[in-house]
Amino acid sequence: MQPYEERLTAPRSWWFIAVLVGIAMALILLPLGKLPLLCGLVGGGALAAVAVSSYGSARIRVVGGALIAGDARIPLEALGVPEVLDAEEARAWRTHKADTRAFMLLRGYVRTAVRIEVTDPADPTPYVYLSTRSPERLAAALTAVRA
């Protein structure tokens, strides 16, 4: 059983922008004829949709004694106590409190986050910052699995 899983999908407005990119490509190719116009509409829209989809496919999971965030797999033994960050604190840790050595799965469209100190002395990463829409659930899942 997986105690926690979340996919950080892109907001709907980004999909609207992908459609607008397709329309813009169609308008750019309009002077060349109907076929290039259709190719621009489909091709530009498809490329923009792929970009939005790939950026929005980041997943956070707590499974098998590990925290999987994006491409990173971090054993729970290497992590400290999770700290739930509200919108204001999350913004502070994304900006002026941020450490360049930290692992950050950051999505600007997600306002809340969880910050977890890395306790492994061999790891130079000071903490893990994860944007999440349900920081309390993620923190509870991390605490429950470790207990």
Side-chain angles (χ1 to χ4, degrees):
M1 181 180 129
Q2 264 178 236
Y4 185 84
E5 182 169 357
E6 178 180 10
R7 183 168 179 211
L8 300 175
T9 56
R12 288 188 182 119
S13 60
W14 288 27
W15 291 101
F16 178 69
I17 292 170
V19 170
L20 291 180
V21 168
I23 293 171
M25 287 303 298
L27 291 175
I28 289 169
L29 297 174
L30 177 65
L32 302 176
K34 290 180 184 179
L35 184 60
L37 176 133
L38 288 174
C39 291
L41 178 64
V42 172
L47 286 175
V50 166
V52 169
S53 178
S54 67
Y55 187 74
S57 67
R59 288 176 42 182
I60 301 171
R61 295 184 298 162
V62 178
V63 63
L67 169 66
I68 302 170
D71 295 333
R73 183 180 183 95
I74 307 161
L76 294 179
E77 304 86 45
L79 297 175
V81 178
E83 176 186 354
V84 174
L85 304 175
D86 62 9
E88 186 176 319
E89 270 298 301
R91 183 175 177 274
W93 281 103
R94 283 192 311 263
T95 57
H96 64 275
K97 287 185 177 181
D99 189 328
T100 56
R101 300 171 301 153
F103 173 79
M104 299 181 90
L105 181 63
L106 173 64
R107 295 297 184 260
Y109 50 83
V110 178
R111 296 183 187 266
T112 54
V114 170
R115 182 182 162 277
I116 313 156
E117 186 177 340
V118 175
T119 57
D120 183 2
D123 192 345
T125 308
Y127 61 88
V128 175
Y129 175 99
L130 304 173
S131 293
T132 175
R133 290 187 174 96
S134 352
E136 293 85 9
R137 277 190 39 227
L138 176 56
L142 288 167
T143 305
V145 170
R146 294 180 69 192

